[in-house]
Amino acid sequence: MRGSISLDGIWKFGLDPKDEGEWLDWQAAGIPNSRDVEVPHIWQRDGKNLVNYNGAAWYEKRFHFPKKRGRIFLCFGAVDYHARVWLNGQYAGEHEGGFTPFEFEMTDLLVQDSENILTVRVYDPEDNAEIPIGKQGSWYTRVSGIWQSVHLERRSDIYIETVQVTPDLENSQIKIAFRLNGELGSGAEVQFAVRSHLSAGQPDAVQMMNITENHSETIMPLPNFILWDTENPHLYDLEVTCRDDVKTMTFGMRKVSFEKGRVMLNNKPVYIRGALDQAFYPDTVYAAPSDEYIQNEIRLAKQMGFNMLRKHIKVEIPRYLYWADRMGMLIWAEPPNYVKFTPQATKRFQNELTAMIHRDFNHPSIVIWSIYNEEWGLEWDLANDPLKQKHVEEMYDYVKALDSTRLICDNSGWTHVKTDINDHHRYFVCPDQLEAWQKDLDEFVIGKPDKNFVDGYQSNGEPIIVSEFGVWGLPSVEKLKDYYGEEPWWFVNQGEESHQEDYKKPTTGQANFTRYQLKDSFKDFEDLAAASQKRMFRAVKSVIEEMRKRPEIAGYVVTEFSDIEWETNGWLDYLRNPKEGFERLIDFNGPLAVMADKVTNNVWSGERVTMDLIICNDNLKSFHGVVEWSIPGLKLSGILPVHSAGEAFIRVEEAVSFQVPEVEQSGFYELKLALKVVGQTVAINTEELTITPKLDKKKEEIAVYSLPERFQSELTLNGYQIKNNLDTDVKVVTNRLDEEVLRFVHKGGDVIFLAEDGDRIEEKGQFTFRELPKGESWPRASSFNFVNEKFFPGIPLNPEMGWEVDRLIPDFVVPVSDYKKASGRRTIHMFGSPGLALSSKIISGYFQGWVGQMGVSMMVQRYGKGTITLTTWKLNENYGKHPIATQVFDHLSRVDAKQLFDSGACHCPEFVEH
């Protein structure tokens, strides 16, 4: 009996900025000054003049409907935000909520075998603080309009309204809860038939029942069922028939629980390797363009090693969830947040969350429901507000009553009250913050699980998941411009005021590239973007491996699957192009991973190196194999037998051990690891190394001023002849700029200023410093440390500073851009010195995001007749011990700093030494 007619396609559309349409009876008279648009439709897509339009807009569709029996329903997938509907000028109904479906019966309003006029007024308020919005309009482009499909559906007088299927694996059965719409009279017979998804064969099971009430439940045996899981996502179709109405629902036989700190799928532990997916798109903004597009995204996610996508503060479209079911991708679902905590806002939020759960209950891919994210909507004071704590606890209980078959996260990433997931959002970047990250994991995330709960509540052994972390990698601007044919509209940041810092604005990137001398370190902005992506790969590899080395952690969710407009921490760019290193992501993000631990990345010839090996075996497979390790070019290799009886985690201590051979010059090397089973390579990985020969001890004179005795001893051991007086013929190294040193420079002396202590230095001349965040920091995760490696010929350095300078990356920079400093009760606006880019030669520096928040970590500046070479690299504490620190300082001591200005160039591969 059911039949459907799509109303997608061309509609009339017009704006109503004065909100006068109903006053003027547009629902009957038509929309003045309308134009054609294609529904589904987001009006922000229609040009830059509509990107920031809020308020009322009208849609009109003319259609014919054939004359047939039955009840007719008008069905909307989603309209953002408030919809009021008329058919042939007659009011049909209204709906509030921008993410979930709604419908109106049109049987008595429809004119059959004639033209019908459907009119919809959409209202998206400018003040959206009390409506569920997610990140649209707050971080990224806003979404307004009829943004999902519309159709008419013919149904029987009695039709099946809803069906919920709850698998019961232990008893080989399913529980079916269903609701009928219509007058049953003396009762009705309902038939249930289960068969494998899309199968045309005989049903696996059939059952009949007689009912007298519209809402009922039944238990249906399903013997010999096939489990749904990520490797074999087997689906079933439940066909429900009542009289002449048939409704088919797809489901999977799977169970979700947690046990001993692990997420359990079908009573087996599953290690979560997830990506945050906010599901914004370069053309369609908020809905995936096609089924093929969705399938390709899920394939890419699997190629990168992911088994879960966390759909972040957005109700995902049903087709995406369907393909996640079909292709075996776990989903962590999360409703859109509101901002202002009021009774009306929480009611709207609960309505949207309820509608999401009802709509998506049968999707086996969904294994976790979130309620809140980071206290968004709770005004960021959950720890101090008993009213909000009570609300969160009640919401947990409410959702658990709606759906007891899934795990529930009460407040993702931040303070918990009552939850099935003890998750954390922790943004660190490596190698810059490696020790801080290790300490955070050991002493907080793992070491103090109760610390992540509000006072009076505690952890009950819930799985520990780091559900947000990540590092930025700038995209190719040329690819974006080629795709759009022009500069994308979102290059002008579409977020609200709190997202207007310079580093979140793509328009600043190319301007600052030239302004801040980055052209000396990179060929062009495209070269910088590629280096940024390499830095992202190198950093996130370590961040993930540190979590996987700790079996107490049950999984992670990286931020994020793809770039979104200005936010570029995606593993794919906004166009879904893979970034640098894509093909190697599965090495450390796959279900089977081999990793080195306790690695020393920079070593001297003659040193003894010993490392542990760790194997993460997420699929719990048994195997007998070997790990082969080698360092190509050095004739170093070894073989280590390994076996697994299904353990998830294997550590072999001191598995790799060798004496570093002599090399002719300092250079990059790579430790390669390969896990082989029955001769087949099943996992590979690499570690970056530099090897440096024992350095020439013959050095020239150098003057030392106010330096620790250890540093002076190292200089002597490395062949320097130390002078203790200021002599303009000898370069001076110091950790302070007092009046005596500045007079010396002013007369023509050259000074190396070891300024790694930044503002803690009591006498630092005209320089001021910015201390970079030491602990967890989302802005620092967007950062990029760069160096003009051409300034240091013969020293193994990458323009994107990484493992070759581990332990040397600065804590302080000299600020070029203005920046903000958090301090107690308010944020302090701090000033930078943009003029440094004109008066100095920048050798290395720091920036965030789109080349904003710029700072300098090494530069040469003229002062009177002399020069000051300032560096905040950690050379003082590492000289003589760290091979790269030693070579960098030795090079600075030899360079003729004045010549840099005489030649007018800083990049100078033909730099001049004394």
Side-chain angles (χ1 to χ4, degrees), residues 592-706:
L592 187 61
V594 56
M595 299 173 288
D597 193 26
K598 301 179 181 176
V599 178
T600 303
N601 296 92
N602 302 283
V603 295
W604 299 98
S605 292
E607 277 193 72
R608 190 76 195 173
V609 172
T610 302
M611 309 178 196
D612 293 354
L613 281 182
I614 292 174
I615 296 173
C616 291
N617 180 25
D618 294 352
N619 289 344
L620 309 178
K621 292 183 178 179
S622 300
F623 61 82
H624 290 275
V626 297
V627 173
E628 297 180 358
W629 66 266
S630 64
I631 303 178
L634 291 182
K635 297 181 181 179
L636 288 173
S637 62
I639 298 178
L640 178 76
V642 292
H643 65 90
S644 167
E647 300 98 328
F649 184 85
I650 301 168
R651 176 186 286 275
V652 183
E653 295 184 353
E654 300 184 356
V656 177
S657 183
F658 59 89
Q659 185 165 352
V660 182
E662 294 296 328
V663 294
E664 291 186 3
Q665 61 184 22
S666 185
F668 286 108
Y669 293 87
E670 195 172 57
L671 171 69
K672 292 191 172 184
L673 303 173
L675 173 60
K676 294 186 176 182
V677 177
V678 196
Q680 298 293 316
T681 301
V682 294
I684 61 173
N685 210 336
T686 60
E687 282 293 335
E688 299 178 40
L689 305 174
T690 70
I691 298 177
T692 300
K694 293 171 182 173
L695 301 176
D696 182 6
K697 298 294 186 180
K698 295 179 182 178
K699 304 289 195 316
E700 297 183 3
E701 285 188 324
I702 193 167
V704 173
Y705 186 86
S706 181

Side-chain angles (χ1 to χ4, degrees), residues 816 833-840:
V816 176
S833 301
L836 286 174
L838 297 175
S839 63
S840 304

Side-chain angles (χ1 to χ4, degrees), residues 426-445 546 550 773-777 780 811:
R426 309 302 290 166
Y427 286 91
F428 287 81
V429 64
C430 289
D432 318 30
Q433 298 176 290
L434 175 60
E435 292 183 5
W437 176 225
Q438 293 169 331
K439 182 178 180 180
D440 191 79
L441 288 172
D442 293 333
E443 297 183 8
F444 171 51
V445 174
E546 287 302 320
R550 290 160 170 79
K774 290 185 177 180
E776 194 270 339
S777 169
R780 189 159 185 186
D811 293 331

Side-chain angles (χ1 to χ4, degrees), residues 33 57 146 277 358 476 516 556 569 575 580-581 640 654 676 724 755 778 794 838 895:
N33 302 315
I146 306 175
D277 182 14
H358 284 321
S476 166
Y516 297 144
Y556 54 82
N569 45 17
L575 306 177
E580 292 280 340
L640 178 76
E654 300 184 356
K676 294 186 176 182
N724 291 313
W778 189 89
L838 297 175
V895 168

Side-chain angles (χ1 to χ4, degrees), residues 1 279 283 315 464 640 645 648 655 685 689 814 909:
M1 175 66 188
D283 283 332
V315 180
I464 296 172
L640 178 76
N685 210 336
L689 305 174
V814 178

Side-chain angles (χ1 to χ4, degrees), residues 503-514:
Y503 74 96
K504 298 177 182 178
K505 295 181 178 181
T507 51
T508 66
Q510 290 175 302
N512 287 351
F513 178 82
T514 300

